[in-house]
Amino acid sequence: MKSLLPLLLLLLPSCHALLNIRSLLETTYTDRSGNNVTLSDLSGKYLGLYFGASWCPDCQAYTPKLVKVYNQIHEADNWQVIWVTRDRVEEAADSYFTHMPWIRLQWAEKDTRGVAMFQLTQQKFIPAVTMVDPEYNVINPEANVEIVTHPKKFPWTKEEENSYEF
């Protein structure tokens, strides 16, 4: 068993490389009405991965601003937000989600797929929004400020870097 440990440690980086944003997005989401939404339903759309929680005061202040921008541009600009909860209690997450017009990662996947999304996009704090283009490239891992301060600059591509290795 001890001889396997170095081999496993060598394989971990390559396993991480196999994990990409598209594979994490390949799941079934839920809208406010309880309808299922798949990644194929989102084909051709820009995606905003919104990491937030009901207990977070900054999220409580940010969510209404994000809702306002989303309601103004999501249809014309072909944009969908996916809420990835960082809540600890399902009932709190469910209640908070009633204030959001977009879709969400299902509760059962928040500690697996949700945590992997948070880590893969290198988030450290909430609220956070990562923008993904229709080809599943992360175009801005930290778009939350740009979204509310410059809503007309959709899709909020980060200028300094053209692509991200995720």
Side-chain angles (χ1 to χ4, degrees):
M1 186 66 158
K2 283 185 179 182
S3 62
L4 289 178
L5 187 58
L7 178 61
L8 288 173
L9 291 175
L10 286 173
L11 290 176
L12 282 177
S14 62
C15 290
H16 180 71
L18 293 175
L19 188 63
N20 61 42
I21 198 70
R22 183 187 170 107
S23 65
L24 286 175
L25 291 170
E26 193 69 57
T27 189
T28 301
Y29 303 94
T30 308
D31 68 15
R32 283 193 328 188
S33 300
N35 300 313
N36 289 335
V37 178
T38 65
L39 189 59
S40 63
D41 296 327
L42 303 174
S43 179
K45 293 184 184 257
Y46 285 89
L47 303 174
L49 304 179
Y50 175 35
F51 302 96
S54 65
W55 52 262
C56 167
D58 290 339
C59 298
Q60 292 169 6
Y62 182 78
T63 299
K65 296 173 187 175
L66 182 59
V67 167
K68 182 179 178 183
V69 173
Y70 177 83
N71 286 336
Q72 290 172 350
I73 70 168
H74 82 277
E75 286 183 22
D77 289 327
N78 214 20
W79 179 41
Q80 181 58 261
V81 171
I82 300 170
W83 183 48
V84 182
T85 185
R86 303 292 288 167
D87 273 294
R88 300 173 187 117
V89 177
E90 185 173 8
E91 292 76 19
D94 291 345
S95 176
Y96 194 51
F97 184 61
T98 63
H99 304 285
M100 301 176 196
W102 44 72
I103 62 176
R104 73 188 274 188
L105 181 68
Q106 294 184 15
W107 179 262
E109 294 188 294
K110 82 169 199 72
D111 289 330
T112 53
R113 194 175 299 270
V115 168
M117 286 179 185
F118 192 78
Q119 292 172 344
L120 186 67
T121 59
Q122 300 175 358
Q123 299 302 332
K124 293 180 178 39
F125 307 103
I126 56 173
V129 178
T130 295
M131 285 299 299
V132 178
D133 71 14
E135 289 78 37
Y136 308 105
N137 300 302
V138 173
I139 57 173
N140 190 339
E142 302 167 338
N144 45 313
V145 173
E146 290 96 329
I147 290 171
V148 297
T149 58
H150 303 293
K152 294 186 190 279
K153 291 190 176 182
F154 178 86
W156 310 290
T157 304
K158 193 152 189 160
E159 299 296 325
E160 304 87 74
E161 301 178 44
N162 293 328
S163 64
Y164 298 89
E165 296 292 323
F166 290 105

